[in-house]
Every structure is written in structure tokens, then in C-alpha cells.
């Protein structure tokens, strides 16, 4: 069970709409390394973690990823605030506009809709934790690439926050992996150091 606090985890206060930035930032909403996939992956994997601590970490980080999804959605909304069909066309978002207007829809920057096919839940805690560490690094890289495209501090600020959270999640999954490996030492999961 969750308790929803009705505020963003980190403030998003974009004052200059920019549909071109929205077009690329949306990838962290529903792209291959985005927040939606991370949340679903971690909240699914938690059920087969072998220690209460590992289950809790997956639950906590999965829940936080939902908060990040909310932040990215707020960014896309603010970047398209008041955009006309002509503005969306000029940003290369005319196909998106035809399907969704200026609503937020989970897709990559290339326009590929989100699908669960890109995530995994194997039931092997070692495999899943390694996948999660890789996922956090891929998300961090994406945020860094987005920062290369951003020249507005109001947009860059929450992106920097999200990038730093990816680093923290990577570290927490690494700590969890070490503890799970100790717990599984000599058990049915095969892993050589």
C-alpha cells in the first residue's frame, strides 16, 4: 500500500514552453530506458526477491520511479503548454499531435510507444539485480545526453536531479546484490565470483 503525497518529488517550474525539448524528454517517460519501464520492472521483481530487505529496496525504488515518471510528465506538459498545432509541427511532433494533442503519452523520443517487451523479471535475484544496475546506468546516460540538448536552466535543473537519483539507485542495487549473494551462498542460484 502506498500513501500519495500530492506534490512532485522535486519541483518542475518551466516557464518557457519548448515542444522541441518535450520531444526528446518524453523518452524518459516511456522510452527504452525511461521511468515507466523502471517502475514496472522493479515493482514486478520484488515478489521473487529472497530477503525482506531486497523486497523493500525494490519496492522503494520502484515507487520512487513512479515519482520520477510524474516529474517527467510535468516537464513534458510544461514544455508544450499553450503549443498550437503549428508549434507541434515545427517541433516535429505533428504525428504525436495527431494522436495525442499535447497530452502526455508513454513513448520514446523516436515516437515508439512504450511496451513491457523491453523489461524483464526473471525470478533469479542475481540476474534481476544486475539488470537493474544496468538499467540505472542506461537511464543516467540518457539524462546526460538530454542535458547536452538543454539550454534552459529551468529544464536542466530537474533533469540533473533525476540523473543523480539514477546514481543513488545504482548504488543501492549494488549493495542489495552483495547482501543477496551472501544470503544465497551455497544455494540453488548459480553464480561464480
Amino acid at each position: 500500500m502506498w500513501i500519495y503525497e500530492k506534490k512532485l518529488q522535486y519541483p518542475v517550474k518551466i516557464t518557457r514552453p519548448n515542444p522541441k525539448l518535450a520531444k526528446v524528454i518524453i523518452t524518459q517517460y516511456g522510452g527504452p530506458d525511461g521511468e515507466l519501464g523502471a517502475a514496472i520492472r522493479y515493482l514486478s521483481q520484488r515478489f521473487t526477491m529472497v530477503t525482506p530487505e531486497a523486497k523493500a529496496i525494490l519496492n522503494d525504488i520502484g515507487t520512487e520511479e513512479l515519482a520520477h515518471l510524474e516529474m517527467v510528465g510535468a516537464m513534458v506538459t510544461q514544455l508544450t503548454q499553450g503549443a498550437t498545432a503549428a508549434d507541434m509541427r515545427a517541433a516535429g511532433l505533428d504525428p504525436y499531435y495527431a494522436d495525442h494533442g499535447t497530452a502526455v503519452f508513454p513513448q520514446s523520443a523516436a515516437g515508439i510507444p512504450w511496451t513491457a517487451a523491453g523489461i524483464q523479471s526473471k525470478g533469479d535475484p542475481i540476474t534481476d539485480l544486475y539488470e537493474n544496475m544496468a538499467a540505472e546506468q542506461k537511464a543516467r546516460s540518457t539524462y546526460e545526453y538530454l542535458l547536452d540538448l538543454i539550454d534552459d536552466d529551468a529544464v536542466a535543473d530537474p533533469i540533473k536531479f533525476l540523473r543523480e537519483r539514477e546514481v543513488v539507485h545504482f548504488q543501492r542495487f549494488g549493495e542489495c546484490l552483495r547482501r543477496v549473494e551472501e544470503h544465497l551462498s551455497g544455494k540453488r542460484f548459480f553464480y561464480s565470483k
Side-chain angles (χ1 to χ4, degrees):
M1 178 195 286
W2 289 277
I3 297 172
Y4 175 64
E5 195 172 328
K6 296 181 182 183
K7 68 177 187 172
L8 295 178
Q9 183 184 12
Y10 188 87
V12 176
K13 297 179 181 178
I14 299 168
T15 58
R16 293 186 320 203
N18 185 336
K20 284 184 179 181
L21 281 181
K23 182 180 180 180
V24 294
I25 288 172
I26 202 160
T27 202
Q28 284 303 89
Y29 193 82
D33 304 312
E35 305 294 351
L36 178 58
I40 298 298
R41 176 188 299 110
Y42 306 153
L43 292 174
S44 296
Q45 290 174 353
R46 69 189 166 144
F47 294 106
T48 54
M49 282 293 134
V50 293
T51 67
E53 179 186 43
K55 288 178 184 190
I57 288 171
L58 271 283
N59 191 65
D60 291 350
I61 295 175
T63 301
E64 185 175 347
E65 300 294 1
L66 291 172
H68 296 173
L69 182 72
E70 185 178 35
M71 286 177 61
V72 175
M75 294 178 76
V76 170
T77 298
Q78 291 176 25
L79 287 166
T80 59
Q81 188 75 37
T84 65
D87 296 332
M88 297 293 276
R89 182 181 302 115
L93 285 168
D94 39 325
Y96 183 94
Y97 183 80
D99 288 338
H100 312 292
T102 58
V104 178
F105 179 79
Q107 71 174 45
S108 71
I112 300 166
W114 185 82
T115 174
I119 66 170
Q120 186 54 276
S121 182
K122 292 297 283 184
D124 178 321
I126 302 296
T127 300
D128 285 344
L129 289 167
Y130 270 108
E131 177 175 339
N132 298 347
M133 292 172 68
E136 293 297 327
Q137 287 300 318
K138 290 185 288 183
R140 179 198 48 79
S141 294
T142 302
Y143 281 124
E144 288 179 7
Y145 299 150
L146 288 172
L147 286 169
D148 292 341
L149 301 170
I150 296 170
D151 60 1
D152 182 339
D153 288 342
V155 180
D157 187 49
I159 293 289
K160 289 176 183 176
F161 170 82
L162 291 167
R163 179 190 59 189
E164 293 308 312
R165 295 307 300 161
E166 304 301 343
V167 172
V168 170
H169 294 170
F170 175 82
Q171 292 168 339
R172 289 199 62 207
F173 283 136
E175 294 162 3
C176 185
L177 175 64
R178 286 187 291 282
R179 291 186 187 115
V180 166
E181 287 174 336
E182 289 170 8
H183 176 80
L184 292 175
S185 180
K187 295 188 179 167
R188 80 172 192 94
F189 291 95
F190 300 102
Y191 176 78
S192 67
K193 291 184 180 186

